[in-house]
Structure formats: C-alpha cells, structure tokens
Amino acid sequence: MTDFAGKNVLITGAASGIGRLMAQKAAARGAKVILWDINQPGLETLCEQLERWGYVAAAYQQCDLSDRADIQETARRTLAEHGPVDILINNAGIVSGKPLLELTDEAIERTFDINTLALFHMTRCFLPGMIQKGSGHIVTIASAGGLIGVPRMTDYSASKFAAIGFDESLRVELKRLGHRHIRTTVVCPYFINTGMFKGVKTRFSFLLPIMEPDEVANKIIGAVEHNKARLLMPPFVLALFPTRLLPPALFDEVVTFFGINHTMDDFKGRDG
C-alpha cells in the first residue's frame, strides 16, 4: 500500500478539474499537497479551502509546464522549501480538438510540451530524491485517447500514446535498476465531464459513459494507494486491447460502430 499520510504529494494541473479533486482527497488522507499550475488565483483559492477544512497546510507554485526552464527552477524551489516529493502526480494536460490541418505549429508543440515532455522534465527533477529515499510513486495521467486515435485528436492522442509508453518504459527501467520500491501508475480514463472536453458525446453511455470527475479522482487515489500499475476507466476500455488484433479496416468499423470516431464532432472545449 502507498500511504498518503505525512507524505509530500505534488500534483500538476491542480487548480481545476480532477487535479483539484485529487488534491482535496490526498489532503484528506493526511498528505501535504504541493500544488502546481499556471493558474495562480485557482491555486490560492484551493489552498485557502484546504486550510479552512483543517488539513495539513498546502503549498503552491505557479509554473508553466510548457517551459522546461520554468519547471526546473520551480522544482528547485520546491525541493529547497519542502524536501523530497514522495508521490508525483503528473496530471496537467491540454487538448486542441481540431483537425490536423487547422492546428497551428505552436498548438501542436504546446500539446506535446505539456502532455508529454513535462512528464520527462518533472520526473527527472523529482526521481533522484525518491531514489535517495528508496521509495516513491510516479503517477501518469494519460487517457483512453492514448490507446486509440480518433478524428480531431491527432496531437492529443499522439501525446497520450507517448505518455503511456513513457510510463511503461519507466516502470520496467526502475525494476531493472533495482528501484523496486518506487512505484508507477498510469491512468487511462475515457472522457471526463469537465470543461476540458465540453461538447464530447458518446453513443453507448452504458458502456462508455462520460465520467464524473469525483468518481475519477476517487479511483485514481485508490489505485495509487493499492499500487495498481494501470487503471483503465470505464472497464469497457479494456476491450480496446484485443481489437488491436483486427485488420485496420475492420478495426475502424468496430470503433465507428461504438461511436468512438464521432466523439469529438461537437467538441467545444473550455473556450466553447
């Protein structure tokens, strides 16, 4: 079991969505939460809320996760002020929701900077402290979109495919290097009912529901506590694995039948 009580838990993208909910749930378990986000007012509001609720004092750092230098400097301050991080939850992510030819170069690069490259920079900053302590937990919030690509998600899906590969390689690398007490968890949820994916739709909601944020946050925290290496939500997402054995044309037909290829047709996102 990974115990949150008395641990330093760093969560990126903590000012809103499931990042905010995970911070609340980690704090309720006795963790000292260290909150990172580019949205400083949101961080301040969350810290004030946690203190009102009587939890261990939270700390926050404003950071632009698309900027490697900012990540490294913010990590330096975090380590100096709070010591090693015990549980790192790489949660921050963005989505464009546009066809490939409508994406700007800058939008594509920003998606990979935040969804993928930040995983490397964050882990490289905080993994040495975990190795020195002989324990730790690194959580990668990926996506079911990292298991299957759909229209209007070329940049997002590619970035999340990379996130899953990052976690898998890191997991086995840590074992090969003898760091078996440093755990990893990768999380692949279907769409979540937050502003990030406003407007998405599902054809068979009993199989692939648009998930509620509180339920997702609870499952993630539970998966970390129980050292689950992989969490797929909802269970039907597991069906994506065997369909990969189908010929591509048949695979595309199956995915279209379940409505997955039309999920982003009415996407609006946070600015919609």
Side-chain angles (χ1 to χ4, degrees):
M1 294 283 287
T2 292
D3 188 2
F4 280 84
K7 301 291 180 62
N8 281 345
V9 178
L10 194 161
I11 304 172
T12 64
S16 61
I18 62 169
R20 182 184 185 91
L21 291 168
M22 288 190 291
Q24 294 170 349
K25 295 175 191 304
R29 287 162 168 79
K32 177 180 179 180
V33 290
I34 303 167
L35 314 171
W36 283 28
D37 204 295
I38 199 169
N39 176 7
Q40 183 162 333
L43 293 174
E44 293 172 350
T45 299
L46 177 56
C47 281
E48 291 169 0
Q49 180 189 64
L50 294 176
E51 290 175 7
R52 286 198 309 271
W53 289 354
Y55 297 143
V56 175
Y60 71 86
Q61 300 277 6
Q62 185 181 32
C63 183
D64 181 357
L65 289 167
S66 69
D67 185 333
R68 172 165 53 91
D70 196 14
I71 290 174
Q72 292 170 341
E73 174 57 25
T74 307
R76 185 194 64 76
R77 294 199 308 270
T78 295
L79 289 167
E81 295 171 11
H82 307 289
V85 167
D86 299 292
I87 302 172
L88 171 61
I89 303 180
N90 287 310
N91 166 70
I94 60 171
V95 61
S96 301
K98 296 180 180 179
L100 175 63
L101 295 182
E102 293 181 16
L103 291 169
T104 64
D105 293 341
E106 293 77 15
I108 294 169
E109 290 168 6
R110 184 168 175 80
T111 295
F112 278 89
D113 283 339
I114 294 175
N115 293 6
T116 306
L117 294 179
L119 303 174
F120 289 83
H121 304 322
M122 292 294 296
T123 303
R124 283 165 59 88
C125 285
F126 295 106
L127 179 57
M130 296 180 183
I131 291 173
Q132 187 172 5
K133 289 186 65 175
S135 65
H137 204 129
I138 298 168
V139 183
T140 300
I141 307 299
S143 169
L147 300 171
I148 181 171
V150 301
R152 298 181 67 174
M153 293 183 73
T154 52
D155 57 335
Y156 181 83
S157 286
S159 72
K160 293 300 185 176
F161 268 82
I164 293 171
F166 168 81
D167 166 83
E168 187 168 293
S169 296
L170 178 64
R171 182 183 75 241
V172 295
E173 181 173 289
L174 289 170
K175 290 178 180 178
R176 280 287 297 274
L177 294 175
H179 305 308
R180 293 183 176 273
H181 295 292
I182 300 175
R183 309 285 187 171
T184 69
T185 298
V186 64
V187 181
C188 301
Y190 194 58
F191 295 112
I192 305 171
N193 186 22
T194 66
M196 182 174 176
F197 280 105
K198 182 179 179 182
V200 298
K201 60 185 179 181
T202 186
R203 182 176 185 184
F204 299 112
S205 59
F206 62 97
L207 292 176
L208 291 168
I210 306 298
M211 303 187 69
E212 291 303 318
D214 195 64
E215 176 190 6
V216 172
N218 276 329
K219 288 182 180 296
I220 295 171
I221 295 297
V224 175
E225 286 180 316
H226 290 88
N227 292 330
K228 290 187 65 172
R230 183 173 64 200
L231 173 64
L232 307 181
M233 298 179 283
F236 188 74
V237 172
L238 284 166
L240 295 176
F241 285 97
T243 59
R244 283 289 180 191
L245 300 174
L246 298 172
L250 182 55
F251 172 80
D252 292 347
E253 289 184 14
V254 170
V255 171
T256 299
F257 171 78
F258 284 106
I260 296 171
N261 281 335
H262 296 286
T263 54
M264 297 289 287
D265 288 358
D266 301 320
F267 172 79
K268 297 179 178 65
R270 293 191 189 280
D271 296 327

